[in-house]
Amino acid sequence: MALEALRVNRLRSGLTMLGVIIGVAAVVVLVAIGTGAKNAIEQEIAGLGSNIILVVPGQLNFAAAPTQSRLDLTDVAYVRRVVGDESRVTVSVQSGETIRVGRDEAFVTVLGTDQFLPNIFDRPLRRGRYLTETDVDTRRRVVILGSEVAARLFGDVDPVGRQATISGVRFRVIGVYEKVGATFGVARDQEVHVPVTTAQRLIGVARINGIAVGASGPDEIEPLQRKVVDALVQRYPGEKFSAVTQTQLLGTIGTVLGMLTGVLAAIAGISLLVGGVGVSNIMLVSVRERTKEIGLRKALGARQRDILGQFLIEAVLLTTIGGVIGILLGVGGALLIAAVSPVPAAITWWSISLAFGVSVGVGVFFGVAPARRAGKLDPVVALRAE
Amino acid sequence: MTPAFEAVALTRSYQLEGVSVEALRGVDLTVASGEFAAIIGPSGSGKSTLMHLLGCLDRPTSGTLRVGGVDVATLTDTELAELRNQTIGFVFQSFHLLARTSALDNVALPLVYRGVPRAERRTRARAALEAVGLAHRLAHRPAQMSGGEQQRVAIARALVGDPKVVLADEPTGNLDSRNGAEVMNLLQRLNADSGVAVILVTHEPEVAGRARRQIHVRDGVIELDTGSS
């Protein structure tokens, strides 16, 4: 019966639904994009390795300029003693340099590190070997290439054992990493790794940029983090050191992206609300148009709640059908966006069920007023209406 | 036997822009079950108001109205709706059929509000349409039928719930004389065959003349009642 009433005014029903359709589709798409972005970043962070603590000089603050480092290799040795296991501490010195092979050249991040890096970070090798203690101690000019660098400079040729020139200094390629993707926009496949001592001489510095410590398990992360920072502060009184963990990064980013998703969903929700007002409006028109029908139904024995129910069901049907169409469009839109653009989109069941629930709710909420008006009509007045 | 209607000192006044208008000014009326009566009077006489009160579509301002022995003043709106559904069948001047609904579903409508299952509703609606001679029009919509046929559908709808009374408000008002006569014949036959009381409201003396009892209403009171109840 309610379906019949909606079919009679097909164009009107369609236009009324459109508000709900757009609102629901927007909620589904925006939540999918927000969730997709969050998942992607979380995956990136998890892809670094597990239980990593990054120690940097100064106060880590997203708003502050990076502090000039005063740490050097003796401090790394000191942290190794504090941690008690040297193989769980590694180091980094970074600089942007040009690497050249024959006539091909590329601008890459040269990262000076040591033999312990693979213990802490997840950097599987495709070919060759990692750095060794001897490489670091004797300042060997050896380099491990990131997958993109290798592809760019050597193409299909196996680079291991070949020569590459970094800032005019000749290096021997000893390994190539597997493709690992980017983290926070840092293209890790465009890095090249050299011994930290070689990097310091190449760049002309004695400092290092940061120390990474691998905890033995999730439970050790927090105490170890505190222990390392405290030890450094003790060594350099009055200075600040920060240690960030993946969990903290995940937490911060999760919060920010969660808020962003929430804001997007709220904006979409407003359009859903506007759609609901449209439903209310059209139901009021419908009640007025069908006053006579209401009068007749009442004369035939319809109770107030029968009439109320009839119009409420119509309103809910309107928004529910709109909601289902909106969900289909939203899911389709999110999949399309994920397919044709780099924006990841993850469709979540909660957003779909929420959108569905809200569209039903909008029908009830905005349908009640017109339905009540219909139910309360005086049958005599309603029957006389023209 | 309990009379179908029993009205004592019934009044009904309306507030129109602050002015009180008395449409009924003290009506005493008893209609026995199975009667065939006509309420006749010029427009503005209060006959429609009286019919609305008898049909429980409206409540009296003062006085007592008992329908089937039940004082309507004691009933809630919901109970009043149920009373309408159970005991009264309406036939209107302009038929009041749902335009986009088949004759069968139009007739079955009162049973919807009684909670009768769909299959039984259809069976009973079909029987009611057969009784008014429209067995061949079950799936037709009102627009596909003549005025006389539409009014017969309306009569079938009034009868489908086995009411005690059928209230017919100018049932022939929108019909030509041939169809009007046919509708009157039908009402008369139904009254005779099934014992349902029929109360006509009309301003046409020849239509009223078909009833066994004429109740003349003028200026909100009963001027003349040929009945002896």
Side-chain angles (χ1 to χ4, degrees):
Chain A
M1 198 160 70
L3 260 179
E4 174 67 34
L6 297 185
R7 214 170 17 216
V8 165
N9 279 303
R10 221 168 295 182
L11 180 65
R12 192 165 81 184
S13 303
L15 288 174
T16 310
M17 271 182 214
L18 200 59
V20 179
I21 292 172
I22 291 171
V24 168
V27 168
V28 172
V29 169
L30 292 177
V31 169
I33 290 174
T35 313
K38 193 171 153 183
N39 288 352
I41 288 177
E42 283 175 355
Q43 244 165 8
E44 280 180 10
I45 295 174
L48 277 174
S50 48
N51 309 323
I52 301 170
I53 304 165
L54 298 170
V55 183
V56 291
Q59 191 144 29
L60 191 81
N61 187 328
F62 285 115
T67 322
Q68 187 63 42
S69 172
R70 66 163 299 158
L71 296 176
D72 58 28
L73 286 174
T74 60
D75 298 309
V76 179
Y78 172 70
V79 170
R80 285 196 162 121
R81 282 198 302 279
V82 170
V83 173
D85 179 355
E86 63 166 8
S87 73
R88 288 206 275 130
V89 178
T90 189
V91 60
S92 81
V93 179
Q94 285 165 42
S95 178
E97 306 289 342
T98 305
I99 182 166
R100 184 174 291 120
V101 172
R103 308 171 88 174
D104 296 322
E105 60 174 45
F107 190 74
V108 296
T109 302
V110 173
L111 187 122
T113 182
D114 60 18
Q115 68 273 25
F116 300 120
L117 175 121
N119 297 349
I120 296 146
F121 292 98
D122 226 2
R123 285 304 283 265
L125 276 175
R126 188 161 66 207
R127 298 199 57 82
R129 62 169 177 86
Y130 289 111
L131 299 172
T132 61
E133 191 176 356
T134 325
D135 290 334
V136 177
D137 288 349
T138 62
R139 267 185 210 148
R140 271 193 191 139
R141 293 193 296 274
V142 291
V143 61
I144 307 173
L145 305 178
S147 66
E148 267 180 43
V149 182
R152 179 116 159 244
L153 297 179
F154 291 96
D156 295 334
V157 181
D158 179 5
V160 175
R162 293 183 179 265
Q163 301 283 321
T165 309
I166 304 174
S167 299
V169 179
R170 282 156 79 93
F171 280 74
R172 185 166 53 87
V173 178
I174 56 165
V176 179
Y177 285 121
E178 288 279 12
K179 191 172 171 56
V180 286
T183 304
F184 299 133
V186 176
R188 292 194 291 148
D189 295 321
Q190 286 173 20
E191 287 176 349
V192 303
H193 289 187
V194 301
V196 60
T197 46
T198 319
Q200 282 178 325
R201 172 172 284 182
L202 187 75
I203 306 164
V205 293
R207 58 164 177 88
I208 56 155
N209 291 111
I211 300 170
V213 182
S216 57
D219 294 339
E220 204 205 346
I221 295 175
E222 259 202 61
L224 192 61
Q225 176 188 10
R226 216 172 302 124
K227 192 166 149 191
V228 170
V229 171
D230 288 351
L232 282 170
V233 170
Q234 205 180 344
R235 187 169 159 104
Y236 298 106
E239 295 210 13
K240 289 225 159 75
F241 295 92
S242 313
V244 280
T245 63
Q246 283 159 296
T247 333
Q248 287 167 334
L249 282 177
L250 280 178
T252 313
I253 286 162
T255 314
V256 171
L257 282 173
M259 270 165 57
L260 198 69
T261 308
V263 169
L264 290 178
I267 291 171
I270 289 171
S271 64
L272 196 55
L273 204 70
V274 174
V277 174
V279 170
S280 201
N281 200 3
I282 223 67
M283 288 311 294
L284 279 173
V285 172
S286 177
V287 168
R288 174 148 301 179
E289 265 182 7
R290 288 153 66 194
T291 303
K292 222 167 168 180
E293 177 193 326
I294 295 163
L296 168 76
R297 286 177 185 273
K298 284 201 149 185
L300 298 184
R303 290 149 296 193
Q304 194 166 321
R305 63 165 182 270
D306 293 322
I307 301 292
L308 189 135
Q310 181 191 342
F311 280 89
L312 203 55
I313 286 170
E314 245 169 67
V316 170
L317 207 60
L318 205 59
T319 59
T320 306
I321 294 172
V324 170
I325 297 173
I327 286 169
L328 293 178
L329 277 182
V331 169
L335 291 177
L336 192 73
I337 287 170
V340 303
S341 79
V343 180
I347 291 145
T348 51
W349 284 112
W350 70 261
S351 74
I352 290 179
S353 37
L354 183 79
F356 185 76
V358 167
S359 46
V360 174
V362 161
V364 173
F365 186 78
F366 289 100
V368 157
R372 279 175 65 96
R373 172 174 287 198
K376 286 195 167 149
L377 277 176
D378 180 345
V380 172
V381 175
L383 272 173
R384 279 209 200 108
E386 277 310 324
Chain B
M1 201 173 174
T2 321
F5 294 110
E6 214 178 345
V8 181
L10 217 53
T11 74
R12 180 70 173 97
S13 50
Y14 299 96
Q15 299 292 324
L16 285 179
E17 289 164 9
V19 182
S20 182
V21 177
E22 286 199 304
L24 284 184
R25 298 182 295 153
V27 168
D28 296 284
L29 176 68
T30 303
V31 178
S33 56
E35 249 194 289
F36 190 2
I39 297 172
I40 182 165
S43 61
S45 60
K47 63 182 191 302
S48 285
T49 304
L50 180 57
M51 198 201 84
H52 289 145
L53 287 178
L54 295 180
C56 301
L57 293 169
D58 198 5
R59 290 170 184 272
T61 307
S62 71
T64 310
L65 173 65
R66 277 188 285 272
V67 177
V70 180
D71 186 351
V72 296
T74 64
L75 300 179
T76 64
D77 282 353
T78 300
E79 287 166 331
L80 216 53
E82 281 159 6
L83 183 69
R84 282 198 294 272
N85 186 262
Q86 300 281 344
T87 56
I88 298 164
F90 288 96
V91 177
F92 301 97
Q93 179 175 0
S94 50
F95 324 138
H96 281 317
L97 299 173
L98 298 183
R100 290 170 180 92
T101 307
S102 70
L104 191 68
D105 287 335
N106 261 300
V107 171
L109 195 56
L111 301 178
V112 171
Y113 297 117
R114 208 181 281 189
V116 175
R118 189 184 172 85
E120 191 192 331
R121 287 204 303 262
R122 300 205 135 202
T123 314
R124 288 174 67 173
R126 187 174 292 119
L129 278 166
E130 279 165 9
V132 299
L134 286 176
H136 59 299
R137 289 281 190 261
L138 301 183
H140 284 60
R141 293 182 174 193
Q144 298 167 316
M145 291 184 280
S146 73
E149 285 175 324
Q150 287 186 54
Q151 194 61 302
R152 276 147 70 195
V153 172
I155 292 170
R157 182 181 62 193
L159 291 169
V160 75
D162 285 326
K164 302 257 189 316
V165 193
V166 168
L167 288 176
D169 187 3
E170 304 276 11
T172 60
N174 280 10
L175 300 176
D176 59 32
S177 54
R178 192 177 60 84
N179 274 312
E182 208 172 301
V183 162
M184 286 309 298
N185 288 339
L186 181 60
L187 287 172
Q188 213 162 16
R189 183 160 55 79
L190 290 168
N191 172 253
D193 292 355
S194 62
V196 60
V198 174
I199 298 178
L200 288 172
V201 174
T202 183
H203 66 276
E204 294 174 73
E206 58 267 45
V207 172
R210 300 284 294 265
R212 283 194 294 273
R213 174 184 177 190
Q214 284 83 35
I215 302 157
H216 293 262
V217 178
R218 183 181 285 270
D219 297 333
V221 290
I222 293 176
E223 200 181 42
L224 174 71
D225 187 349
T226 66
S228 55
S229 46

